[in-house]
Amino acid sequence: MQPIDGNLRRAFRAIEQVGRVLTGRQFAGRNLTVFPDDVFLVSYPRSGNTWTRFLIGNLAYQDDPTTFANIESRIPEIYFNPDHVMRRLPRPRILKSHECFQPHYRAVIYIVRDPRDVAVSFYHHNVKAGNIPDNYPMEDFVPRFINAEFDTRWGSWADHVLSWTLLRQNHRGFLLLRYEDMQRDTLSELRRIARFLHMCSFRAIDASPEKQQQAIDLSSPERMRALEKEQSADWILTKKTRPDKPFVRTAKAGGWKSVLSLSSVARIEAAWGKVMVTLGYDLAGQHAGSSAMGVSEDEATRATIKPQ
């Protein structure tokens, strides 16, 4: 059976949203009641948020490992329950959000990932969601990704990242994590997370080296893939998506090098190279533009606004 057309799927979602509003079941989202002791785990989509939720969940709930079956009751997304349900969760809460800067989020763990890897992951996410077909050209996808066409709520990668880093970086209640650093030295980065949580309202967490290593082992890609196979039919993020496409994919940094063409890389770097450099990402081109890779900055910019 052919997957449902992406436009039709979005129409169904819009109808569902209207029904939730009319019946008082509208998800909290931006209308969430925020408490002073809340900690928010924020990122642009496909940046390692789910893995980080598993790491934190397995550190906080050491006698009952985190799974896709219980993650939404431990570190829930703010988009899947009405506000009155979210208000009843035990405090202090750790909540997942994809929002751009929100001034009422007092404590934020923000995860950033190389946008070239985000593009590849977001491509496969949209295939899994049925928004694009299996054979959709990556060359066509990348300009649309840069232009934030697939989920306009969050803006572009750079919009999202800059909204947080410009307004909150170096603030006491803001912890910036790079996905690549988490991959390279998970223990050190989890230690930073634990210190931040202790500084907030989670002083009861046992963050000994042994417990941190246990959390890392329980959050391995292999275990998460095995859990996904068992539980994806019931998890809210995957139950309405294609079961033949995994949610947890390679879980590696730098995969874009073997997937994206030189022109796609050049377009991403032309659009966001300066932001990438400030976050420590090396550019494949010689500078934030793309001329060294055969695509001019003007061409890359035009590609982001190409009519569909």
Side-chain angles (χ1 to χ4, degrees), residues 1-13 126-133 240 242:
M1 186 176 73
Q2 293 294 318
I4 298 176
D5 175 77
N7 290 330
L8 185 58
R9 186 180 294 274
R10 284 189 285 273
F12 286 152
R13 290 172 181 163
N126 278 280
V127 170
K128 179 174 177 59
N131 297 328
I132 55 176
K240 293 184 179 180
R242 292 176 55 178

Side-chain angles (χ1 to χ4, degrees), residues 116 256 262 265-266 269 276 281-287 289 292-293:
R116 295 163 295 194
W256 62 269
L262 291 178
V265 172
E269 294 183 1
M276 293 167 65
Y281 295 117
D282 294 331
L283 303 184
Q286 293 180 353
H287 47 74
M293 299 182 67

Side-chain angles (χ1 to χ4, degrees), residues 41-109:
L41 187 60
V42 184
S43 72
Y44 195 71
R46 309 309 296 172
S47 297
N49 204 311
T50 300
W51 177 42
T52 309
R53 280 206 288 172
F54 264 72
L55 286 168
I56 295 174
N58 282 315
L59 186 62
Y61 297 88
Q62 297 170 357
D63 297 326
D64 184 15
T66 296
T67 69
F68 290 107
N70 61 32
I71 189 67
E72 297 304 332
S73 63
R74 295 181 174 182
I75 307 177
E77 286 209 25
I78 65 174
Y79 309 107
F80 299 142
N81 287 294
D83 187 53
H84 68 86
V85 173
M86 300 293 285
R87 289 199 304 268
R88 292 200 298 265
L89 292 173
R91 292 174 55 188
R93 307 179 299 182
I94 303 176
L95 304 172
K96 173 186 173 181
S97 170
H98 284 313
E99 296 297 318
C100 289
F101 177 70
Q102 298 292 309
H104 51 298
Y105 288 12
R106 297 190 182 185
V108 173
I109 299 172

Side-chain angles (χ1 to χ4, degrees), residues 146-304:
I146 295 172
N147 204 36
E149 292 185 24
F150 289 94
D151 204 333
T152 58
R153 292 175 294 174
W154 324 127
S156 72
W157 174 86
D159 290 338
H160 201 283
V161 171
L162 289 174
S163 78
W164 283 104
T165 57
L166 289 180
L167 294 170
R168 279 291 178 85
Q169 195 165 0
N170 299 321
H171 284 220
R172 184 171 183 271
F174 184 79
L175 177 65
L176 178 64
L177 302 173
R178 290 200 330 160
Y179 177 83
E180 295 74 21
D181 296 334
M182 295 176 67
Q183 285 280 337
R184 182 175 59 253
D185 191 348
T186 310
L187 186 59
S188 292
E189 295 304 294
L190 184 55
R191 189 177 301 119
R192 293 179 64 216
I193 294 172
R195 284 199 298 264
F196 184 82
L197 292 175
H198 277 215
M199 182 193 73
C200 297
S201 304
F202 295 86
R203 298 176 183 86
I205 294 178
D206 179 358
S208 65
E210 295 76 19
K211 295 300 184 180
Q212 290 185 51
Q213 188 58 55
Q214 173 181 286
I216 292 170
D217 294 341
L218 289 171
S219 308
S220 69
E222 293 77 17
R223 179 174 182 270
M224 290 181 67
R225 290 189 196 102
L227 289 170
E228 180 187 352
K229 290 180 180 179
E230 297 172 4
Q231 301 167 347
S232 63
D234 298 317
W235 187 38
I236 191 165
L237 274 174
T238 52
K239 65 182 181 181
K240 293 184 179 180
T241 63
R242 292 176 55 178
D244 60 320
K245 299 293 182 180
F247 179 85
V248 181
R249 296 182 54 256
T250 60
K252 293 181 180 179
W256 62 269
K257 296 175 184 177
S258 61
V259 176
L260 296 181
S261 67
L262 291 178
S263 60
S264 289
V265 172
R267 287 189 170 93
I268 293 171
E269 294 183 1
W272 302 328
K274 291 180 180 179
V275 182
M276 293 167 65
V277 169
T278 65
L279 291 165
Y281 295 117
D282 294 331
L283 303 184
Q286 293 180 353
H287 47 74
S290 315
S291 57
M293 299 182 67
V295 176
S296 71
E297 189 164 346
D298 287 343
E299 289 174 324
T301 303
R302 287 197 299 271
T304 68

